[in-house]
Amino acid sequence: LDFYPSFEVDDDPSSGFAVGVAPPRFSQPYWALHNRLGMLVETHSWKDYRTRVRATHDVLVGILAEARTKAGGWRKAGLEVDADVALGPGEVALTFDNTDEKRTIDFLGYHYTRAPSAVSGTLRTTYDESRPEVWKVPLLPAVKPALVVRAPKAGYLVPAGYAALVRPRLVAHGVAFSLVAAAVARDVEVFRASKVTFGARPYEGRMTAKAEGAWVRERRDVEQGSLFVSVNQPLGRLVMHLFEPQAPDSFVSWGDLNTAFEQKEYMEGYVAEEVAERALRDPKVAGEFAAALKDPELQKDPARRLDFFYRRH
């Protein structure tokens, strides 16, 4: 198959399948970002141990047999892509979605029935493996860019305070970087988050984060000890997946930089009440507060009501 056979609607064979581009946390797209071949060998847990070991063995033997005659060509192709390292300031797609194109395919399955389940409360699919049949199911065969970002002209700067966190990860990925030897003031772009949503529960030991926002131009002091990571290197696209905050496998998305979104200072409630009383003497602030209170969620949230004035203090 040239697609991963996961139903578009969980447990519903009639929903069909879709060709997809997996994020780089998975092995085959990760190595593609290294300009190398990647392969997923699916040895499913429903198979017994002997079958899974045999399948893995046979795949490795097959790959090595191919490599006897084709490894030189594979290496040459990879090195040629490595040499073409200039991303430039153009647009780069980091995630993909399906187009509206759809066609019906023949898929080798088994006869099945769907009936309400007393356990889950939803429809349950039951297969009869004694009755093989060909399914006529939809396939979404084409993809289109979903998250498209503009590559930086040169690369990404990591503030000195985060260098100790980011540096070992860059080393682990084989990404080239340099150290800023002396402080300098520069015109740069800074990602300003307008909204950050954290995962409902830990994922792979991390509290993930989803950031909304935009890059804005600012004058910043680049401290000594900051890191500079160029996009004009063989792993330039991998660099973008790591540093673009909205990419699904970025440092931001995986929760590495959650401290940037923590509120460090605060105002005690009794102090905020006094500040609010003084602030409300200003008709402009009073009008803004009245308009904000039209939000039912704000109306019933004492902390958010006080925060309205803390943010204006």
Side-chain angles (χ1 to χ4, degrees):
L1 297 175
D2 61 353
F3 59 88
Y4 189 85
S6 179
F7 298 135
E8 280 291 273
V9 177
D10 185 48
D11 199 38
D12 182 1
S14 66
S15 65
F17 309 100
V19 171
V21 180
R25 76 191 68 164
F26 299 107
S27 59
Q28 68 275 27
Y30 177 76
W31 285 107
L33 290 173
H34 281 72
N35 309 321
R36 296 298 182 269
L37 292 171
M39 180 179 290
L40 170 67
V41 182
E42 183 71 79
T43 52
H44 201 281
S45 59
W46 277 116
K47 300 294 184 182
D48 62 83
Y49 182 70
R50 178 184 180 87
T51 300
R52 284 181 278 146
V53 172
R54 174 60 65 183
T56 302
H57 169 273
D58 292 348
V59 168
L60 289 172
V61 170
I63 293 171
L64 293 172
E66 286 286 293
R68 291 181 66 182
T69 58
K70 297 180 180 178
W74 295 343
R75 177 170 173 76
K76 180 174 180 292
L79 293 175
E80 287 174 352
V81 179
D82 286 349
D84 184 19
V85 298
L87 283 181
E91 293 185 333
V92 176
L94 298 182
T95 65
F96 295 84
D97 200 354
N98 289 104
T99 68
D100 293 332
E101 181 182 350
K102 181 183 292 187
R103 68 170 184 259
T104 300
I105 63 170
D106 291 340
F107 191 87
L108 301 181
Y110 294 102
H111 181 78
Y112 66 89
T113 57
R114 303 195 78 213
S117 166
V119 177
S120 64
T122 186
L123 290 176
R124 175 191 178 189
T125 304
T126 304
Y127 298 93
D128 182 353
E129 295 186 19
S130 68
R131 300 172 61 186
E133 63 184 30
V134 177
W135 298 343
K136 301 283 187 180
V137 293
L139 172 70
L140 301 174
V143 297
K144 61 183 179 182
L147 173 62
V148 179
V149 299
R150 179 174 52 84
K153 183 177 181 180
Y156 297 91
L157 283 164
V158 181
Y162 286 99
L165 172 71
V166 174
R167 185 171 186 162
R169 287 163 170 75
L170 298 178
V171 171
H173 286 292
V175 171
F177 61 91
S178 59
L179 201 64
V180 176
V184 60
R186 294 293 299 270
D187 289 324
V188 296
E189 288 186 328
V190 177
F191 187 86
R192 291 292 180 186
S194 58
K195 180 181 179 182
V196 180
T197 306
F198 296 100
R201 59 181 62 87
Y203 174 72
E204 298 285 354
R206 306 294 191 92
M207 185 57 71
T208 58
K210 184 176 182 180
E212 300 176 26
W215 293 95
V216 294
R217 294 194 65 81
E218 294 183 9
R219 184 75 173 177
R220 291 291 294 267
D221 292 326
V222 181
E223 311 98 322
Q224 180 182 3
S226 299
L227 306 179
F228 173 68
V229 186
S230 173
V231 294
N232 295 312
Q233 60 174 297
L235 302 185
R237 285 180 172 77
L238 176 60
V239 168
M240 292 191 64
H241 276 277
L242 292 173
F243 283 99
E244 282 296 323
Q246 294 172 299
D249 288 338
S250 66
F251 293 129
V252 169
S253 294
W254 274 88
D256 285 312
L257 307 180
N258 281 353
T259 55
F261 308 118
E262 293 177 5
Q263 181 176 339
K264 303 300 191 293
E265 296 82 19
Y266 65 96
M267 188 182 288
E268 296 286 1
Y270 70 90
V271 178
E273 292 277 8
E274 294 180 3
V275 168
E277 286 180 351
R278 293 196 298 270
L280 286 171
R281 296 170 191 163
D282 182 339
K284 182 175 182 294
V285 176
E288 291 175 351
F289 187 53
L293 285 177
K294 293 178 180 178
D295 178 357
E297 295 300 317
L298 180 66
Q299 283 184 29
K300 60 185 180 184
D301 190 333
R304 284 184 59 193
R305 291 170 70 130
L306 292 176
D307 188 62
F308 176 93
F309 296 96
Y310 166 71
R311 290 175 177 272
R312 286 159 176 76
H313 186 266

